[in-house]
Amino acid sequence: MKSILVPIEDHGIVEPQLRTALQVGRIFDSYIEGIAITPDYPVVLPVDIAIGVPSPITPENRLEMARACRERFEAFMTVQQIERASAGLPGLGFGWRQDGLTEDAFLGAYGRVFDLIVVGRPDGSNGQTRLSTVESALFETGRPVLIAPPQAPRTFAETAVIAWNRSTETARAVLGAMPLLKKARRIVVLELEDWGVPGPSGAELARHLRMHDMPAEAITAADPSNRPGETILSESAALGCDLLVKGAYTQSRLRQMFFGGATSHILSNTTIPVLMAH
């Protein structure tokens, strides 16, 4: 994971997101790049134009918002004593995307040339990462996405839990997490009773990981309330997990919007870093 992209939004809560990105960066001596992100204001705030209020989509406002995002990102890196990256040279360092304010759609495309995208927890509260930003990264980049919790943990990726539902999405998440899993001291493949789709068992995944010299084991937990998202988080906490690996949206987003789902619950409530892929 040599290159990490961190979308920064003006007035957002970005420090936990940046701390989590830096935790990964320190492990792999990564290049960490910030980018200023915003909703598509012409869609979100068309009333501004109609009533004559100065709109944030004006070139001047876009430049000011991008400048504020950059200042927050670079101030954090300076306090953490991280050097600005030199062009073409390996090692831990940071940089900034120079093209001003960008929308979620651009993030989805640009993220394809990074090893990892780090976002905040999209729990719907004021100042947190927007769900549309997370979903753009998940659905459009083809890369793993790390969800940072509201408070960065003291340890990271020492005890990894894989929420295994045998799906294609989770298989992709495991593949994307392999660099981190190789660093883990313990890996637990967690299955829930009567949850998931047809496919290889957790024991078979654990065997595959052990072939890569990873300390993997498999367990199965009961879920009598049929609330897999809650059960995954509680079981992960009981195991001392500091990295959860999970496929995103095995069920459709529309179904999860109306009926709930494990992905939606974990995105809104996790207190540990979660690596996801779709």
Side-chain angles (χ1 to χ4, degrees), residues 83-96:
E83 298 290 335
R84 191 178 302 274
S86 300
L89 296 180
L92 179 63
F94 74 89
W96 182 259

Side-chain angles (χ1 to χ4, degrees), residues 219-257:
I219 65 172
T220 301
D223 183 25
S225 62
N226 194 28
R227 294 179 178 176
E230 293 180 19
T231 303
I232 290 167
L233 290 180
S234 63
E235 291 288 334
S236 297
L239 290 164
C241 168
D242 53 11
L243 175 67
L244 176 62
V245 178
K246 187 189 178 302
Y249 296 115
T250 299
Q251 297 179 353
S252 72
R253 283 181 289 177
L254 185 62
R255 177 180 175 83
Q256 295 214 25
M257 183 185 301

